[in-house]
Amino acid sequence: MEAGTAEVVRSKTVSVTVNGTTYEREVDARRLLIHFLRDDLDLTGSHVGCDTGNCGACSVILDGTLIKSCMMLAVQADGATIETVEGLAEGEELTELQKSFSAHHALQCGYCTPGMLMSATALLRSNAHPTEAEIRKAIQGNICRCTGYVNIVEAIKSVGETS
Amino acid sequence: MKVEGEREFKAPRATVWQVLNDPSQMAKTMPGVESFDVHDDRHWTANVKIPLGLGGLRMSVSMEKTDEREPEFAKMAIKGNGVGAVMNMETSFHLSEAGDATQMKWQADVHLLGPVASMGQRVLQPIVNQQVTHVLNSLDKQVQDAASA
Amino acid sequence: MTETVAPPQPKVVEPGQPQKGWAGQNVPRKEDKRLVQGEGVFFDDIKRHEMGYVHFVRSPYAHARIKSVDVSKALDVPGVYGTLTGDEVAILTDPFFELSVPPGAHMKDYALAVGKARFAGEPVAAVVASSRELARDASELVEVEYEPLEPLVDARVAQEGDAPILHDEAGSNVVWDGTFDWGDYDAAAAEADHVVKIKELHFDRFSSTPLECSGCLIEYNKGTGQWTMYCNHQMPGVGAIWMAPALRVGLDKLRFVTQDIGGAFGNKICLHPYFVACCLLARKLNRAVQWTEWRTDQHTANAHGNERWFQDIEVPVKADGTMLGFKVRATDDCGAFPRYEPLGCIIWAQVTPGCYRWRNIRVDFTQVTTNKSPVSPNRGYSRMQHLWLTERIIDIVASELGLDPVEVRKRNYVKHDEFPYETPNGCIYDSGDYARCLDIALELIDYPSIEQKRRDAESRGRLLGVGIGSTLDSGTNNFGQSMILNPDLQFSGNNEVATVKLDIFGEIVVTLGTVPQGQGHETTASQVVADILGCSPDDINVRPGHDSYWNSHAGFSGTYASQFAVTGLGAVKGAADMLAGEMKKLASVVLGCSADDIELAEGQARMKANPEAALPFMALGAILNANNAGLPEDLGVTLNCRYVYRPPFEKPDLERKYGNLTLTYATQIHAAVVEVDPDTGVYEIVDYAAVDDCGKRIHPQIVEGQVHGATAQALGAATHETFPYDADGNLLTPNFYDYHVPHALDMPPMKNGFIESESPFTPLGAKGMGEGGGAGIHAICAALQDALRARGKPVVTDSCNPYHRVWALLQEPEASRAGVEVVSR
């Protein structure tokens, strides 16, 4: 097609598998993935904390890679497999990571926690026994204003040490 | 922010003055002009696209000549409005004869407001410099064309 | 005043020491289970069918007259439900209640800009549409004509003759001014061996930028005139006091519902302008409306912490380093609208002498408006700014007179045996041991080894410095201090409410008047109740969040000002005590003995002498509620107890500006070690210690978490976090792209220490402690000044020291020294 004559596509039907369930939805072309997850799929565990992709509150794992879902359009996620915080626990059974966060008081208001958990999950999959420096680097993209990160690092390190 | 400078044009002062005061000629020097309208010899408007960000920043710009002393001095007030950006600018120039050539001293006081101004601070100066260079180069070409005509 | 008992020796708590009872233990937090699964409910998680999304049209000008607002093009867009403009707001609402005396009293504040825009980002109009994206698009079609005015961006010139005036009705930029004069400064100056003069110090603008932005989902019930606001307002009592008269309705028509809040730190107190705009829209459009603040909006148009200039400081000192007092001219920049101000003009007086025994203090205090974002009580509110001043004074005086910064502090600190200590303006510091905390902090950073470390750093081409930051976290306000600013205000004392009930099946249910944002109120409340009722915290159900329709609350209810451990838990204790009394009474009637013979233990009410004669809680609940025939007529038991905790305060002496302004004083003393690269000004914090004393700790892990978090925020404010404006009034750090908050790699290695000097004045011996008092800022400033000593002794005069500022101090130390002078006898 010649430049300038392309038809403007305002919406598209996408198929996305989230936490094992496949959803098919028609979505606005410019809708961000984070809003698709929160508003269209009612998965409100992932959060919005900024406008510029700096805070990491929206972090999810897409096709095995940790991404910031505010930095992707929903239409770009067509056909993808996504994991969010809601998919971590198996029913009533929390993961070791979730239990460790609670035991170490690694959360206060809980707003950054889903993003932190996804970053930590991605880290531990690729590096089961991370050092403190590796942990800090892995969560560098997740802002927390409550904890000062001290207990978050301890919680992740503890899982690495006991697994 | 204030910007100023000097430029020499290899043409008589009357020619330079004529180019600077002809709206249709001036419009050709402005960067990214997509359309322009002359309302009278002191007022005109234009739609411009400034290279800032993806797709450029579109602004509707209105210009008013607020003062002049032919053939040596003129002053303009320029207002621009775009998405997330408001621009207010005052610019003036002073022409003096330098042999066969003309010396132009110019200055501009640029105010940029809105989210674009807040976020774009560190790129603002380079973009302003780039726009100024573009205008002066185009002006030079216009003046040369007029002088050889 | 009840008799006070100073605790004999502060208890140094070692980790792992066995504790009696639930209070004092690290029980698992009740909040965690839902939060780690992403099942918390934050206001933006709530949806209503067909709700409209609100987007605000905002002024790009810091100062401008609004000549016209045309929403017609926006209204033409399909999917746009409606709009709101300043003209409508001016007709439908009255201006918000102002706390100040004139001129501040005459400043008018509405939900949208009326007639004039006074800061860049101020909301001028609102558009509501079927989606977030559409509302944003449509808002770009609203045409506003502005007549730009000159902006005022420097508080120091706000009172000069040619300064632009923001509020024409006030005729002045002054919100409030007054002089505070205690002791006899002139006598102190005459007695001094030296007077150290400091021309100007500047506490910079920043904020705690909670990760969750502000917002609301508001429904209007047309039949009853009731608004229900699902939101994250952290002080609904005060929010309602502003909103109800503005909307011309009774307080009861405003229902605030919060569950989980993603941090607030004082930034979610002044949300009433936005909420009123949304209330008007919900009513006008007869539709639920939803507004979530963008991050850029939070930085530009929500609230900042107070910016303060300290000028013409003079400090009389004796030769042995005893500091006799100080005088200062303070100018507070509160941005475009006062709102919670001018309370900041008095709240610093809770800690007038800081940690020190100064007796002669004079403060000339002026607060002015500027064309910047309004302020709100950001974490540390007003005390942090003043405590930074006292620490800068101590360090600069010590440096100029060649005194040791540790010795001069110990010489001038309030001494352990002087508590309860009355300050020059009548505040009572309840308990503490500052010298002890300082010793622990110095031990944690291995202070004796500092000089060796300094030489070692030098050999690597680095400048090492050590600095101390002492601070107090005053908690539980006496709101009577507001009368010092405006005698016509009818506020004094403080209160908080809790209810505790025993349900039919034996469930214990607690409701709080507070609005938690991560402080673990559900958990600590359950610990206190469990100790009183003789059961476990797992048996206690604390309702998450706050619903003003259902949760009993009082005028000062909310979560702010470092007071929950005192007021919130005081109310919980009171209600639980009442319930325990009723349970024992009911059990005694059923078991045929006297109430004194009954004890509550292991989830039962039983006879002390014969524990087999026991009634489980479920039985008590069932008997009273469902099986109560035959109970005595005068039993007086409901098993549903409400208690209002009221701290013991008197109204202050308005003439002398004198009185007890806060009930408790927690201490934090920090020590920082930095290494500076002299070629670039870049510095690293290589060691850090934070020591906290907040009296009895109900949940030590929660206290430690607060210390960590407050330290991180202080370190951010010390190095990178600042809200600078250019000459046109544009904010240059409008979101996280430019406003750098610490991430995990920015944090220094941190060591923590704790002592517990119990408060003699509080129900549990605990003190509030969440704000922290900015010790990190004081410590970093001190450490940098120490590090740079060898390079011309520059003076650190700003609270925020990014690398380029340190570089400038290294390049031109004389410029910073120009404002410091020592006049000796």
Side-chain angles (χ1 to χ4, degrees):
Chain A
M1 253 191 242
E2 289 172 47
T5 63
E7 199 187 292
V8 175
V9 176
R10 298 222 178 268
S11 68
K12 197 176 173 220
T13 303
V14 299
S15 171
V16 187
T17 302
V18 187
N19 301 329
T21 304
T22 302
Y23 304 87
E24 204 173 89
R25 296 276 190 280
E26 193 185 330
V27 75
D28 215 28
R30 59 177 171 166
R31 175 142 275 227
L32 298 175
L33 178 58
I34 181 61
H35 288 138
F36 176 69
L37 292 169
R38 288 179 54 76
D39 297 342
D40 292 288
L41 302 185
D42 279 327
L43 292 166
T44 55
S46 310
H47 298 142
V48 175
C50 74
D51 311 332
T52 50
N54 289 103
C55 79
C58 66
S59 302
V60 300
I61 294 174
L62 184 142
D63 291 339
T65 305
L66 182 76
I67 63 142
K68 286 175 171 162
S69 59
C70 71
M71 292 283 108
M72 183 180 276
L73 297 172
V75 293
Q76 291 175 285
D78 188 19
T81 299
I82 300 177
E83 297 168 79
T84 71
V85 64
E86 290 98 333
L88 290 178
E90 301 257 328
E92 288 292 304
E93 190 59 37
L94 297 178
T95 64
E96 288 312 306
L97 186 62
Q98 287 169 312
K99 289 181 197 165
S100 185
F101 262 57
S102 182
H104 286 87
H105 190 43
L107 63 148
Q108 291 180 25
C109 79
Y111 201 73
C112 77
T113 306
M116 284 288 180
L117 287 169
M118 300 319 289
S119 291
T121 300
L123 169 69
L124 291 167
R125 278 181 191 166
S126 69
N127 179 355
H129 311 289
T131 63
E132 180 171 326
E134 287 167 335
I135 293 170
R136 288 184 181 273
K137 181 97 177 91
I139 61 170
Q140 180 187 11
N142 294 87
I143 289 176
C144 172
R145 296 252 69 188
C146 293
T147 67
Y149 309 99
V150 180
N151 291 344
I152 294 174
V153 172
E154 286 304 309
I156 299 170
K157 194 147 55 115
S158 168
V159 174
E161 282 162 0
T162 55
S163 64
Chain B
M1 104 192 48
K2 282 186 160 52
V3 283
E4 58 188 12
E6 291 184 20
R7 184 91 166 208
E8 199 184 81
F9 296 98
K10 299 219 178 336
R13 185 165 70 169
T15 310
V16 178
W17 174 265
Q18 185 264 315
V19 168
L20 283 169
N21 281 279
D22 178 352
S24 58
Q25 300 232 47
M26 276 307 295
K28 288 181 200 151
T29 71
M30 284 186 54
V33 170
E34 294 183 333
S35 68
F36 73 94
D37 284 294
V38 177
H39 300 287
D40 58 47
D41 61 4
R42 284 194 170 237
H43 296 89
W44 62 95
T45 56
N47 288 318
V48 305
K49 190 165 105 169
I50 299 168
L52 178 73
L54 207 64
L57 171 64
R58 279 209 164 75
M59 294 194 115
S60 62
V61 181
S62 68
M63 287 146 278
E64 181 189 341
K65 193 191 303 186
T66 52
D67 199 3
E68 74 175 352
R69 278 188 320 266
E70 185 168 353
E72 60 178 10
F73 174 78
K75 193 160 148 184
M76 271 194 295
I78 301 172
K79 284 192 192 353
N81 266 288
V83 172
V86 170
M87 179 191 65
N88 285 333
M89 180 163 95
E90 217 174 56
T91 180
S92 62
F93 61 82
H94 191 98
L95 302 176
S96 55
E97 286 169 324
D100 293 334
T102 305
Q103 183 78 356
M104 176 175 84
K105 280 198 173 101
W106 59 272
Q107 66 176 53
D109 193 2
V110 186
H111 295 269
L112 195 56
L113 304 163
V116 166
S118 287
M119 288 200 67
Q121 273 297 317
R122 60 176 96 88
V123 299
L124 228 43
Q125 192 67 63
I127 285 183
V128 166
N129 292 343
Q130 182 203 65
Q131 297 299 299
V132 163
T133 308
H134 182 113
V135 168
L136 292 174
N137 289 343
S138 298
L139 192 54
D140 208 13
K141 185 173 181 309
Q142 300 287 324
V143 164
Q144 291 312 310
D145 288 349
S148 49
Chain C
M1 185 75 78
T2 51
E3 198 196 272
T4 64
V5 178
Q9 264 299 141
K11 202 167 65 175
V12 179
V13 181
E14 306 301 329
Q17 242 176 11
Q19 307 276 337
K20 227 176 43 176
W22 296 106
Q25 289 196 47
N26 293 331
V27 303
R29 276 197 352 156
K30 287 178 179 288
E31 295 87 341
D32 288 352
K33 184 156 175 287
R34 65 180 187 267
L35 292 173
V36 296
Q37 296 184 80
E39 296 297 345
V41 179
F42 299 85
F43 84 91
D44 189 79
D45 298 340
I46 301 172
K47 302 173 174 72
R48 287 290 179 265
H49 185 61
E50 298 268 306
M51 66 189 187
Y53 291 84
V54 180
H55 190 89
F56 287 97
V57 176
R58 297 176 180 276
S59 167
Y61 290 99
H63 200 194
R65 266 188 226 296
I66 299 169
K67 297 182 62 189
S68 66
V69 179
D70 182 356
V71 296
S72 53
K73 293 202 177 88
L75 286 170
D76 278 339
V77 176
V80 169
Y81 298 140
T83 58
L84 189 73
T85 65
D87 288 341
E88 289 174 82
V89 168
I91 292 168
L92 296 170
T93 66
D94 291 323
F96 295 118
F97 176 63
E98 289 295 338
L99 296 166
S100 191
V101 291
H106 297 312
M107 295 178 183
K108 289 203 170 67
D109 188 7
Y110 287 94
L112 293 176
V114 172
K116 236 188 162 190
R118 294 179 177 86
F119 65 97
E122 185 178 357
V124 168
V127 176
V128 185
S130 59
S131 78
R132 199 180 281 114
E133 296 88 352
L134 187 60
R136 198 173 182 179
D137 276 352
S139 72
E140 284 162 16
L141 299 173
V142 173
E143 291 171 346
V144 184
E145 213 190 313
Y146 296 98
E147 183 196 304
L149 300 168
E150 199 197 323
L152 172 67
V153 293
D154 188 342
R156 294 170 294 177
V157 303
Q159 292 178 267
E160 279 171 23
D162 58 350
I165 301 283
L166 268 74
H167 296 270
D168 301 315
E169 316 90 337
S172 162
N173 290 320
V174 173
V175 175
W176 187 90
D177 69 350
T179 298
F180 301 85
D181 202 352
W182 303 294
D184 187 343
Y185 175 80
D186 294 323
E191 192 195 325
D193 294 310
H194 310 283
V195 175
V196 179
K197 299 186 179 188
I198 304 166
K199 194 145 178 296
E200 187 177 272
L201 297 175
H202 176 228
F203 193 94
D204 217 341
R205 212 168 237 268
F206 73 96
S207 96
S208 301
T209 63
L211 194 61
E212 184 208 25
C213 291
S214 317
C216 58
L217 190 166
I218 298 188
E219 299 176 292
Y220 180 68
N221 181 321
K222 199 165 168 186
T224 61
Q226 175 89 40
W227 279 285
T228 300
M229 302 176 283
Y230 299 93
C231 64
N232 49 22
H233 200 297
Q234 69 178 107
M235 208 170 160
V238 154
I241 288 173
W242 268 313
M243 290 176 66
L247 287 165
R248 302 172 187 150
V249 298
L251 283 172
D252 203 49
K253 293 299 182 197
L254 296 168
R255 175 180 177 186
F256 292 82
V257 184
T258 61
Q259 188 188 296
D260 294 299
I261 298 180
F265 317 112
N267 290 280
K268 291 174 176 162
I269 289 179
C270 296
L271 303 182
H272 53 286
Y274 288 112
F275 285 12
V276 165
C278 292
C279 281
L280 292 175
L281 282 164
R283 183 173 68 186
K284 177 180 177 183
L285 307 180
N286 201 20
R287 176 190 289 276
V289 297
Q290 202 275 5
W291 167 63
T292 302
E293 184 184 53
W294 298 90
R295 170 57 51 188
T296 303
D297 297 343
Q298 191 190 108
H299 287 211
T300 53
N302 177 24
H304 294 168
N306 297 54
E307 182 180 358
R308 199 167 292 173
W309 298 93
F310 299 104
Q311 293 170 305
D312 303 330
I313 302 158
E314 293 187 15
V315 192
V317 188
K318 304 276 299 171
D320 66 359
T322 304
M323 308 232 185
L324 301 172
F326 65 89
K327 73 171 179 178
V328 62
R329 193 162 53 85
T331 303
D332 190 271
D333 177 345
C334 74
F337 295 93
R339 302 200 168 147
Y340 204 83
E341 298 303 324
L343 291 186
C345 299
I346 183 66
I347 280 173
W348 62 268
Q350 297 169 7
V351 292
T352 300
C355 298
Y356 304 100
R357 298 153 87 226
W358 281 313
R359 302 304 306 177
N360 308 290
I361 297 175
R362 183 183 299 158
V363 178
D364 280 302
F365 200 106
T366 306
Q367 184 174 67
V368 295
T369 53
T370 58
N371 292 112
K372 299 181 188 175
S373 164
V375 302
S376 79
N378 190 63
R379 190 176 201 170
Y381 184 39
S382 195
R383 293 102 81 220
M384 170 175 61
Q385 285 81 347
H386 186 77
L387 289 157
W388 178 79
L389 168 73
T390 63
E391 286 299 279
R392 282 286 73 224
I393 286 176
I394 292 287
D395 272 318
I396 292 170
V397 166
S399 175
E400 294 305 301
L401 299 182
L403 303 167
D404 179 86
V406 173
E407 285 317 305
V408 80
R409 282 184 168 80
K410 287 192 172 174
R411 175 178 292 279
N412 289 284
Y413 272 163
V414 174
K415 306 237 179 309
H416 166 60
D417 56 12
E418 288 173 321
F419 292 100
Y421 176 80
E422 191 177 86
T423 70
N425 59 311
C427 290
I428 312 282
Y429 288 1
D430 52 353
S431 63
D433 192 340
Y434 307 153
R436 181 86 202 269
C437 288
L438 177 55
D439 282 336
I440 295 172
L442 295 175
E443 199 187 305
L444 288 170
I445 58 157
D446 194 11
Y447 190 65
S449 73
I450 286 295
E451 290 314 314
Q452 175 58 48
K453 290 188 170 130
R454 203 192 295 270
R455 289 192 289 275
D456 171 69
E458 217 166 55
S459 72
R460 288 182 281 111
R462 293 271 182 282
L463 302 171
L464 185 139
V466 62
I468 297 161
S470 339
T471 204
L472 297 173
D473 195 348
S474 49
T476 305
N477 283 321
N478 175 0
F479 278 87
Q481 60 201 270
S482 66
M483 294 174 74
I484 294 175
L485 304 173
N486 179 355
D488 291 336
L489 286 178
Q490 305 294 314
F491 296 118
S492 71
N494 201 337
N495 53 29
E496 192 48 273
V497 186
T499 68
V500 184
K501 65 170 175 163
L502 182 62
D503 263 345
I504 292 179
F505 291 129
E507 197 191 354
I508 297 162
V509 180
V510 179
T511 75
L512 301 172
T514 58
V515 182
Q517 321 111 32
Q519 299 92 337
H521 291 182
E522 291 164 49
T523 305
T524 52
S526 70
Q527 288 171 272
V528 169
V529 175
D531 275 341
I532 292 169
L533 298 185
C535 55
S536 111
D538 290 336
D539 301 321
I540 317 282
N541 179 43
V542 184
R543 282 219 201 120
H546 183 89
D547 182 336
S548 67
Y549 214 56
W550 297 115
N551 286 42
S552 195
H553 51 90
F556 296 115
S557 282
T559 298
Y560 58 96
S562 300
Q563 62 181 40
F564 178 74
V566 176
T567 59
L569 291 182
V572 167
K573 176 180 187 301
D577 281 337
M578 280 171 73
L579 181 64
E582 289 196 0
M583 288 163 73
K584 287 179 188 168
K585 186 147 176 226
L586 180 60
S588 72
V589 166
V590 173
L591 295 173
C593 58
S594 104
D596 293 329
D597 298 329
I598 302 286
E599 66 177 3
L600 299 177
E602 295 178 278
Q604 301 177 316
R606 63 190 188 199
M607 290 180 74
K608 291 179 201 172
N610 177 16
E612 301 277 300
L615 286 164
F617 289 174
M618 183 164 146
L620 290 173
I623 288 170
L624 187 75
N625 284 294
N627 193 6
N628 54 40
L631 289 175
E633 214 179 292
D634 60 350
L635 183 60
V637 164
T638 62
L639 295 183
N640 188 345
C641 302
R642 175 180 188 261
Y643 185 82
V644 180
Y645 168 76
R646 194 166 54 83
F649 283 131
E650 304 295 325
K651 290 198 167 105
D653 178 338
L654 304 188
E655 184 67 41
R656 296 159 63 206
K657 300 188 172 78
Y658 186 94
N660 193 14
L661 305 184
T662 13
L663 195 65
T664 66
Y665 290 82
T667 314
Q668 283 200 32
I669 305 210
H670 294 207
V673 184
V674 301
E675 278 189 16
V676 182
D677 179 342
D679 293 330
T680 58
V682 173
Y683 60 94
E684 198 191 330
I685 305 169
V686 297
D687 207 354
Y688 199 91
V691 179
D692 169 89
D693 177 4
C694 61
K696 170 128 182 92
R697 294 179 294 162
I698 307 300
H699 191 301
Q701 223 181 17
I702 287 179
V703 166
E704 194 176 33
Q706 292 294 319
V707 174
H708 294 161
T711 303
Q713 291 193 358
L715 295 181
T719 308
H720 298 296
E721 292 186 45
T722 172
F723 283 130
Y725 284 80
D726 70 10
D728 287 320
N730 291 308
L731 176 63
L732 300 177
T733 51
N735 50 47
F736 285 150
Y737 196 70
D738 286 299
Y739 185 91
H740 179 84
V741 310
H743 52 59
L745 285 171
D746 287 329
M747 290 299 292
M750 188 174 10
K751 297 155 196 160
N752 293 105
F754 298 90
I755 69 172
E756 292 187 357
S757 300
E758 294 193 14
S759 175
F761 302 142
T762 65
L764 297 162
K767 307 181 188 185
M769 56 71 65
E771 288 175 272
I777 304 174
H778 320 331
I780 296 298
C781 286
L784 288 172
Q785 188 166 298
D786 182 55
L788 270 41
R789 258 186 89 78
R791 297 293 180 103
K793 273 183 73 173
V795 180
V796 171
T797 55
D798 254 275
S799 63
C800 181
N801 290 281
Y803 305 141
H804 65 80
R805 183 161 283 148
V806 175
W807 186 85
L809 290 172
L810 284 160
Q811 296 304 305
E812 288 188 12
E814 321 77 43
S816 70
R817 291 197 55 74
V820 176
E821 190 195 343
V822 179
V823 176
S824 301
R825 192 195 289 277

